[in-house]
Amino acid sequence: MKRFLQALILLFSGALLAQSGPVVEVFAPQINAQVRITGCARDTQNRVVCALVFESKAQTNQSVTVLQSTVRALAPDGTVYRGRFSAEGGTADDTKAVFSLPAGMRVNASLLFPDVPSGVTLFAQVAFGGLEFRGIPVTQGREAPTQAAQAPRPAPSEDLWTSWDRRLSVSLHHVLYVGKDGTVWAWGLNQDGQLGIGKTSEAEPKPVKVQGLTDVVEVAAGWRHSLALRRDGTVWAWGNNDHGQLGITPNPLVPYPVRGLTDVVAIRAGRDTSYALRRDGTLWAWGSGRWGILGVGDFADRPLPTQVQGLSGIKALPQGIFGDGVAAVLKEDGTVWVWGNNTHGLLGTGQRCSYWESGWDWGQGQPTPVQVEGLKDVAQLAVGGHHFVALLKTGEVVAWGLSHRGQAGVFNEYCAAITKVPDLRDVVRIQAGGIISSALTRDGTLWAWGTHTSWDGRVFFGMLGIGPVRRDWERPVPPIGMDGVIFWEGWDTTFAVKGDGTVWAWGRNDYGQIGNGSRESQHTPIQVKLPDMP
């Protein structure tokens, strides 16, 4: 242990560049821990920050000391840059950093390199405390992101995606999951009974089984309520029912079938609304009628499912939950039809942005579907909090709406026009979250853009999964370690499934949305286990 604490100062040389392949994870035998460098990125002051995770394999708690004199990074041209180590819950000065590593637990840490020029996009080596890592890319912010060289990976297959699609739904504060046996599990906020366990509670940070549901094929998590679709085509609902989003139910704390709905093939949940697509291609809505979001021609709440007006030839409902006041569908002809709140130009009708005219003036809204102007040949559609993302048949990704944090591919725009998202090629899937967007490329790499923080920028949640970097990104960056991805789902919290069957999660966790028993948000992906995983 003493030898580790004193840590040999590493000798750097050009010969390091000849060593093949990146090394992002090593074992530290002196402290019996796995140490992973999850990535390096520039902060708002152009300093390079590298995120680390220490995972203890020991059976006893340990105090770990890292000498600052051992913290160094080597650029490909042979230049050595000195850095500084710090760890969560620890102390650090110019000489050393000290932190506690509890038995069997993880601790996040970081390396700060303040003097690395902007032209450096790769560290040939990063070292501290006698540990060495190689081939670490430095994400350049608004520059095109760079990755370490790696062998080509096969594209995610449709079969693998289908095996997970519709089984996981992530909302702002809670998560729903369909087990392999058709039962439903839930975790996160439960103040309105949205977890379906027969009672309310502040939060459940570990998965709990929803009462009375079997043979479920799809779930949809709204802001404060939940939906499930059974194999027989019936829809079940539970949680908050202030606007009739559950339908008429004798007990909102447990699932009950929504009256008047049969032969349903897909469901979605919004803020206080619910939607069901029937096999005959008709779309039905119930719940809050504010801003005309039900699409039934008026602004009244509806406790019973009512058919959305003027729609036919529906190809798909958007990925994710229906947004905060807006709804949409993708039609077979590649056109997008939207209705509801147009504050941020989401309807694509060319209206001026009402934000600039009178603050957060939500207005009445559009109570029936209208076609988004100038948008065609859409293959996939995703709806975020106040923005849309679309994958075109050409392979390009476009976005529009609120983009004050870069979530629609531009900065400081409150009514962004339909704009191509930069630096994306060979995209096969898209998603949109509250203030972020994401895309999966054919090689299995996940990319994200938007913000790392809360709506007002005050709370750091780490939604992009790129480490402890407090800034917004209008260009896509890869969440650390997220290659080989076959499926992902998220809002402010994201879950990703890799081809090896492992599940990873990051982002907001203030109500236990990650489901690992903790309520600490994660700014880098951590491996988790879903309820029916061994």
Side-chain angles (χ1 to χ4, degrees), residues 33-34 53-58 61 101-107 518:
Q34 204 74 22
V53 177
F54 285 74
E55 184 173 357
S56 172
K57 305 296 183 182
N61 298 337
L101 182 59
M105 300 296 288
R106 289 186 176 128
V107 170
S518 166

Side-chain angles (χ1 to χ4, degrees), residues 65 118 144 162 329 434 463:
T65 301
S118 297
T162 302
V329 296
M463 286 98 79

Side-chain angles (χ1 to χ4, degrees), residues 173-175 185-191 195 197 199 201-209 493 495 505 508-521 526 528-531:
H173 293 134
H174 76 289
V175 180
W185 296 78
W187 56 94
L189 185 69
N190 192 41
Q191 293 176 358
L195 302 190
I197 57 176
K199 63 178 182 180
S201 57
E202 188 208 3
E204 300 292 337
K206 288 186 176 181
V208 291
K209 183 172 282 190
T493 311
F495 291 80
R508 187 169 184 169
N509 196 35
D510 50 342
Y511 291 102
Q513 296 97 310
I514 288 178
N516 63 350
S518 166
R519 293 180 64 170
E520 180 181 352
S521 296
I526 61 171
V528 297
K529 288 188 176 181
L530 296 178

Side-chain angles (χ1 to χ4, degrees), residues 144-492:
T146 306
Q147 288 186 291
Q150 51 191 295
R153 293 179 297 272
S157 74
E158 191 69 25
D159 289 342
L160 288 173
W161 179 274
T162 302
S163 69
W164 283 93
D165 194 21
R166 308 169 68 191
R167 291 176 52 201
L168 185 66
S169 182
V170 183
S171 183
L172 183 66
H173 293 134
H174 76 289
V175 180
L176 300 175
Y177 170 70
V178 181
K180 297 174 184 176
D181 61 356
T183 60
V184 177
W185 296 78
W187 56 94
L189 185 69
N190 192 41
Q191 293 176 358
D192 291 278
Q194 55 263 59
L195 302 190
I197 57 176
K199 63 178 182 180
T200 60
S201 57
E202 188 208 3
E204 300 292 337
K206 288 186 176 181
V208 291
K209 183 172 282 190
V210 177
Q211 293 185 10
L213 280 179
T214 58
D215 212 25
V216 172
V217 296
E218 183 178 12
V219 284
W223 278 37
R224 298 182 298 163
H225 74 291
S226 302
L227 303 176
L229 173 62
R230 295 186 63 190
R231 195 174 302 277
D232 62 5
T234 59
V235 178
W236 296 62
W238 62 98
N240 183 279
N241 200 32
D242 288 349
H243 298 275
Q245 61 264 46
L246 306 184
I248 299 174
T249 176
N251 183 0
L253 300 181
V254 293
Y256 271 88
V258 178
R259 297 183 188 179
L261 275 181
T262 58
D263 213 22
V264 173
V265 295
I267 54 174
R268 292 292 185 271
R271 180 170 182 161
D272 297 306
T273 53
S274 302
Y275 302 85
L277 179 64
R278 297 184 64 182
R279 193 173 303 277
D280 62 6
T282 58
L283 183 64
W284 298 70
W286 63 103
S288 172
R290 191 179 184 187
W291 310 304
I293 192 174
L294 296 182
V296 297
D298 58 34
F299 304 93
D301 292 356
R302 301 289 178 104
L304 292 175
T306 304
Q307 186 175 345
V308 177
Q309 295 183 8
L311 287 179
S312 61
I314 298 175
K315 176 182 178 180
L317 304 181
Q319 289 291 115
I321 71 171
F322 271 32
D324 185 8
V326 67
V329 296
L330 172 62
K331 298 183 73 169
E332 293 284 357
D333 62 3
T335 59
V336 173
W337 294 69
V338 296
W339 59 97
N341 175 7
N342 194 36
T343 300
H344 300 288
L346 289 170
L347 303 186
T349 56
Q351 291 180 232
R352 292 182 64 192
C353 183
S354 59
Y355 174 84
W356 295 113
E357 297 169 7
S358 54
W360 293 106
D361 176 16
W362 299 107
Q364 258 197 323
Q366 169 65 36
T368 55
V370 294
Q371 184 178 346
V372 175
E373 298 175 0
L375 188 63
K376 60 181 181 178
D377 295 328
V378 175
Q380 293 177 31
L381 179 67
V383 55
H386 295 277
H387 71 289
F388 282 111
V389 181
L391 173 62
L392 306 184
K393 294 177 181 178
T394 61
E396 294 179 321
V397 176
V398 298
W400 68 99
L402 180 62
S403 194
H404 67 310
R405 310 296 295 277
Q407 62 265 45
V410 293
F411 269 134
N412 299 323
E413 286 286 347
Y414 286 85
C415 281
I418 297 172
T419 305
K420 179 182 176 182
V421 178
D423 304 330
L424 284 175
R425 296 183 300 274
D426 295 326
V427 173
V428 293
R429 297 281 178 179
I430 55 171
Q431 293 272 11
I435 329 175
I436 64 171
S437 304
S438 52
L440 183 67
T441 50
R442 191 170 302 279
D443 63 359
T445 302
L446 190 60
W447 300 84
W449 59 100
T451 185
H452 241 2
T453 64
S454 59
W455 184 270
D456 56 10
R458 296 180 180 179
V459 184
F460 182 75
F461 291 132
M463 286 98 79
L464 298 179
I466 59 173
V469 183
R470 286 180 174 267
R471 61 163 295 173
D472 301 335
W473 305 79
E474 91 282 22
R475 289 178 178 268
V477 292
I480 293 168
M482 287 300 100
D483 49 19
V485 173
I486 62 169
F487 174 83
W488 87 109
E489 174 80 16
W491 191 254
D492 286 353

